[in-house]
Amino acid sequence: MKYFEFGTENKVTLLLLHGVDTTWEMSFQPFIDVAKSKYHIIAVAEDGFNPDEPEVDATSVIDEAHRITEWLVEHFDGKIDIILGESLGGMIMTEILLDPRIKVHTAIADGFTILEYPNFRHDLPKRIISTVLADVELFAFRHMGLFNKILGEDIDSMIYKETSKTTLYNLEYSMMPYRYKYEAFNRSDSYIWHGSKEPGLKHVLKKIDRSKYHFKHKIFQNRGHGSLLLEPERLLREVGLAYKGYDKNYRSK
C-alpha cells in the first residue's frame, strides 16, 4: 500500500479511497488535478490495485481499513477533514470511521452498494462461491460493454485490467461473514451519493434504517455508478457542498 499526497500547502485534508478493480490514478487523477489547489489530498493506492506493487494482493476490507487507519494515526494524528470513498472505498471508509482514534468532519460514500452474503457454516461453499465470483468479475472487467449496462455508466477508462484473481477471491471470501457497519455514519457528517441509474440505489434506501443511522442522501439524475469521477469540476463542487453541509436531502440534475 502506498500513499500519494498533493496540495500539501493547503489546510483542509481530503482522503481518497478508490473502488474495486481500479487504481487511485485511474479514478482520481483528473479530480486531483483540479482539487489540489484547494485541498491537501491523500490518495491511497490500495493493495491488489497498485501497479507499483503488482505482487501484493488485497486480503480483506477490514485489513485494508486497518492499515490505512494506522497510517492516518501515525501521520495525521487520526484527524482528517474529508473522506471520499468510491464504491468499495465507501465500505473501507466505514471501517476507518469506527476506530475511536479517527476524527473525520465529513464522510462521503459515493456509489455505496450493499451486498451481504450468507455466512456459511462450512468453508467449502465459501471457497467455491468466491472462486466463481472472482472468475465472473475477471470476465466482466475485461468485457466492460456488458458490465457498463449493469452499472448504468461507461467507466471502462477507470478499470484496472491487471487485477489478480487472488485479490478478487480474497475480497469475496472475506465478504461471506461481513456485515456492513452502518453505525459508522453516526460518527461524522455523513453522505451517501448515488446515480439514479445505479442498480444498488433502491436496495440501499430500503436496507438502511434512517431513524438509527444519520446520513444525508443525494441522487444524481441520469448518472450511473462512479460517474462523478468523469466530471472532476462537478465533483469538486459537490465535495465542497458536503463539507459545508447540506440543508436538506435533494436531487441533483
Side-chain angles (χ1 to χ4, degrees):
M1 186 175 294
K2 291 187 177 181
Y3 304 84
F4 299 87
E5 297 185 59
F6 307 86
T8 56
E9 70 279 5
N10 299 315
K11 182 179 179 180
V12 180
T13 50
L14 170 58
L15 179 69
L16 302 178
L17 302 172
H18 64 76
V20 69
D21 222 71
T22 185
T23 70
W24 72 270
E25 281 187 291
M26 297 176 80
S27 285
F28 294 120
Q29 190 61 67
F31 172 68
I32 291 171
D33 289 341
V34 300
K36 63 185 179 183
S37 62
K38 183 175 182 178
Y39 297 112
H40 176 179
I41 296 171
I42 307 106
V44 182
E46 298 162 23
D47 293 336
F49 308 104
N50 182 8
D52 293 341
E53 299 175 316
E55 74 285 353
V56 179
D57 292 307
T59 55
S60 72
V61 169
I62 292 177
D63 287 346
E64 293 294 292
H66 176 73
R67 294 182 63 186
I68 296 169
T69 297
E70 294 301 324
W71 189 90
L72 292 175
V73 170
E74 179 180 354
H75 292 85
F76 289 90
D77 197 29
K79 298 175 182 177
I80 292 292
D81 293 298
I82 309 168
I83 300 181
L84 172 60
E86 293 284 339
S87 191
L88 178 73
M91 191 190 311
I92 295 174
M93 181 187 78
T94 59
E95 292 289 340
I96 293 172
L97 288 172
L98 286 173
D99 192 295
R101 298 171 296 170
I102 297 294
K103 306 297 180 184
V104 175
H105 181 283
T106 300
I108 305 168
D110 184 17
F112 191 66
T113 303
I114 295 173
L115 182 61
E116 292 185 342
Y117 299 150
N119 186 8
F120 295 101
R121 296 178 60 183
H122 302 290
D123 188 60
L124 182 58
K126 292 173 60 175
R127 290 192 281 113
I128 292 174
I129 293 174
S130 297
T131 300
V132 171
L133 290 174
D135 285 333
V136 170
E137 289 170 4
L138 284 174
F139 176 84
F141 290 138
R142 285 158 174 74
H143 300 80
M144 284 302 295
L146 171 63
F147 204 52
N148 287 334
K149 292 181 180 180
I150 298 174
L151 295 176
E153 192 65 57
D154 183 1
I155 57 172
D156 186 57
S157 62
M158 289 185 282
I159 294 299
Y160 177 53
K161 295 186 170 70
E162 301 304 317
T163 303
S164 72
K165 181 177 177 177
T166 299
T167 281
L168 295 175
Y169 172 89
N170 288 345
L171 290 175
E172 292 293 349
Y173 183 86
S174 70
M175 290 295 293
M176 295 300 170
Y178 188 84
R179 292 297 177 262
Y180 284 78
K181 314 296 174 49
Y182 307 126
E183 61 271 25
F185 290 118
N186 296 337
R187 292 186 52 82
S188 72
D189 186 21
S190 297
Y191 301 83
I192 295 178
W193 291 352
H194 282 108
S196 63
K197 297 190 292 183
E198 286 194 66
L201 168 60
K202 293 181 180 179
H203 185 52
V204 170
L205 295 180
K206 182 180 179 180
K207 185 73 175 180
I208 303 180
D209 185 346
R210 298 288 293 272
S211 66
K212 293 174 58 179
Y213 309 116
H214 305 140
F215 63 91
K216 298 180 181 67
H217 189 240
K218 186 167 184 178
I219 302 170
F220 296 91
Q221 295 301 303
N222 301 313
R223 287 172 174 81
H225 189 73
S227 63
L228 281 187
L229 293 171
L230 302 174
E231 304 178 70
E233 294 282 357
R234 173 69 183 280
L235 180 55
L236 179 61
R237 292 195 299 271
E238 295 296 340
V239 169
L241 285 171
Y243 185 53
K244 292 177 182 177
Y246 294 158
D247 293 328
K248 59 182 179 179
N249 298 335
Y250 61 97
R251 293 170 181 261
S252 179
K253 295 181 180 179

